[in-house]
Amino acid sequence: MLSLVATLVVLSLCFAYWGVHFLATILVLSFLIFFHELGHFLAAKYFKVRVLTFSIGFGKEIFSKEYKGTKYQISSIFLGGYVKMKGQDDSNPACKNYDSDSYSVLHPFKKIIILFAGPFFNFILAFFCYLIIAHLGQKQLAAVIGAKSDFASEKLLVNDKIVSINSQKITSWFDISPLLKENNEVVLVRDGKELVLNVKAQYKDAYNEFGQKIKKYVLGISPSNEIVEVYYRGFNSFSYAFNECINASTLIFKGIYKLISMQISPDNLSGVITMGDITTKASELGLSTLLLIAALISINLGIMNLLPIPVLDGGHIIFNFYELIFKKEVNEKTFEYLSYIGMAFLLSLMLFATYNDVKRIFLPNLW
């Protein structure tokens, strides 16, 4: 009862702060969680494992319905979800059952497939989000020069529209930077005429996507306020969706590495409040923007669940690889201790991320 009351209080505060658009956050996060757990569920069913519970959320159930031996429920603590299989229970790591329809009797490779299916479904969902975005179109800054710095090449003029750089087509302003090298072949349109220019870039101080100071090649130009709708059709839409999934995954892996290696501050770690804030604001900007954020969160969810932390899918996958290699299960006591350590670590991480969220969003002027 206490968890239900707490959830209602939190939801009331969220709607009071963000307004009706917060409903979009609830719907997006619910669907992402559902789709993740659906992956586990379908894989378990394929291997004829009995699924006892399919839950969106944790804690006390708000609504439930049993169908063909599985209880489908919505729970009060809306911070994830779970599929509880016969013979497998994260809340009780020692839980085992050796009936023919139990998770415990499966070959480790089949267990790995079930565990991987949840994150895999997150990647599939993100791919389809990007595919829809490709056809809906996405508002981006046009590749039109709005201003020049002192070191910019005299060959480039304000209002020039950049068409390609080093034989690579430019569709928006953000395509320019990754293509630059010291000497560049730039194709642009000026006063309705297409020109081909050899332009030298300068190796200057800049900032990467994590706010770190780096050096890279720049042209010394900035965009105009012109906005362009970027579309991808046919096979290009699949190529776009695949590349965006790879780019987003790479960015997340880089972020994790930089956090672990202390290259960026732990203060950059964000939690569910920031996720809600970004998703709510994205819903105000249109469907394409909302789908973009949903895709990023889905990939994030998939990758985070694959981290080798006990109680996460990745941790269980490591345990099963151990069994595959050494032909025996991880010692029961070791498994329990590691599981509880994993739970404590994730809880601590969640609390720290929530602290960062509150500090960043609600109390920015106090720091």
Side-chain angles (χ1 to χ4, degrees), residues 1 50 53 60 150 197 204 208 238 240 244 269 310 349:
M1 184 63 183
R50 184 183 174 191
T53 308
K60 186 177 178 60
D150 293 339
L197 306 174
K204 296 281 189 178
N208 64 12
F238 289 90
Y240 163 79
E244 288 300 302
L269 192 66
L349 202 63

Side-chain angles (χ1 to χ4, degrees), residues 85-127:
M85 295 172 281
K86 187 175 182 180
Q88 191 265 344
D89 185 357
D90 282 339
S91 64
N92 179 16
C95 174
K96 298 286 182 183
N97 182 288
Y98 296 97
D99 293 342
S100 60
D101 60 349
S102 173
Y103 176 84
S104 303
V105 301
L106 289 180
H107 186 276
F109 186 70
K110 292 182 179 179
K111 292 180 183 178
I112 290 171
I113 292 175
I114 292 174
L115 293 164
F116 183 73
F120 179 71
F121 264 49
N122 283 126
F123 299 129
I124 292 296
L125 179 59
F127 179 85

Side-chain angles (χ1 to χ4, degrees), residues 220-231:
I221 56 177
S222 56
S224 69
N225 294 324
E226 187 177 336
I227 299 296
V228 63
E229 285 274 0
V230 179
Y231 297 89

Side-chain angles (χ1 to χ4, degrees), residues 33-244:
I33 294 166
F34 165 78
F35 214 72
H36 176 93
E37 299 305 333
L38 182 64
H40 293 311
F41 176 82
L42 293 177
K45 286 291 189 180
Y46 179 80
F47 291 120
K48 296 181 170 49
V49 175
R50 184 183 174 191
V51 178
L52 303 176
T53 308
F54 186 116
S55 178
I56 303 300
F58 298 99
K60 186 177 178 60
E61 66 182 67
I62 300 173
F63 168 83
S64 68
K65 183 174 181 61
E66 189 162 329
Y67 179 71
K68 291 187 176 181
T70 301
K71 183 165 74 170
Y72 300 88
Q73 68 182 44
I74 298 174
S75 301
S76 58
I77 303 176
F78 189 74
L79 290 174
Y82 63 92
V83 165
K84 183 178 179 181
M85 295 172 281
K86 187 175 182 180
Q88 191 265 344
D89 185 357
D90 282 339
S91 64
N92 179 16
C95 174
K96 298 286 182 183
N97 182 288
Y98 296 97
D99 293 342
S100 60
D101 60 349
S102 173
Y103 176 84
S104 303
V105 301
L106 289 180
H107 186 276
F109 186 70
K110 292 182 179 179
K111 292 180 183 178
I112 290 171
I113 292 175
I114 292 174
L115 293 164
F116 183 73
F120 179 71
F121 264 49
N122 283 126
F123 299 129
I124 292 296
L125 179 59
F127 179 85
F128 280 108
C129 284
Y130 285 125
L131 205 57
I132 296 170
I133 292 169
H135 289 86
L136 286 177
Q138 188 178 6
K139 288 183 173 64
Q140 295 184 12
L141 284 171
V144 176
I145 300 174
K148 297 172 57 180
S149 67
D150 293 339
F151 64 84
S153 171
E154 294 179 356
K155 297 179 181 180
L156 301 175
L157 301 180
V158 171
N159 295 325
D160 283 350
K161 179 180 180 181
I162 299 175
V163 177
S164 72
I165 294 179
N166 300 321
S167 301
Q168 298 294 313
K169 183 182 177 181
I170 301 296
T171 56
S172 74
W173 186 265
F174 301 108
D175 294 336
I176 296 173
S177 182
L179 299 175
L180 294 177
K181 52 187 182 181
E182 186 174 5
N183 294 296
N184 305 276
E185 182 186 82
V186 178
V187 179
L188 54 83
V189 174
R190 179 183 298 163
D191 298 327
K193 297 179 181 179
E194 189 173 280
L195 303 176
V196 180
L197 306 174
N198 291 314
V199 179
K200 188 172 183 178
Q202 302 294 318
Y203 200 56
K204 296 281 189 178
D205 288 336
Y207 293 91
N208 64 12
E209 55 269 75
F210 301 102
Q212 294 176 294
K213 197 171 184 178
I214 59 170
K215 282 188 175 294
K216 67 177 184 178
Y217 286 109
V218 294
L219 293 175
I221 56 177
S222 56
S224 69
N225 294 324
E226 187 177 336
I227 299 296
V228 63
E229 285 274 0
V230 179
Y231 297 89
Y232 298 88
R233 305 297 192 194
F235 180 77
N236 286 337
S237 65
F238 289 90
S239 178
Y240 163 79
F242 179 78
N243 289 333
E244 288 300 302

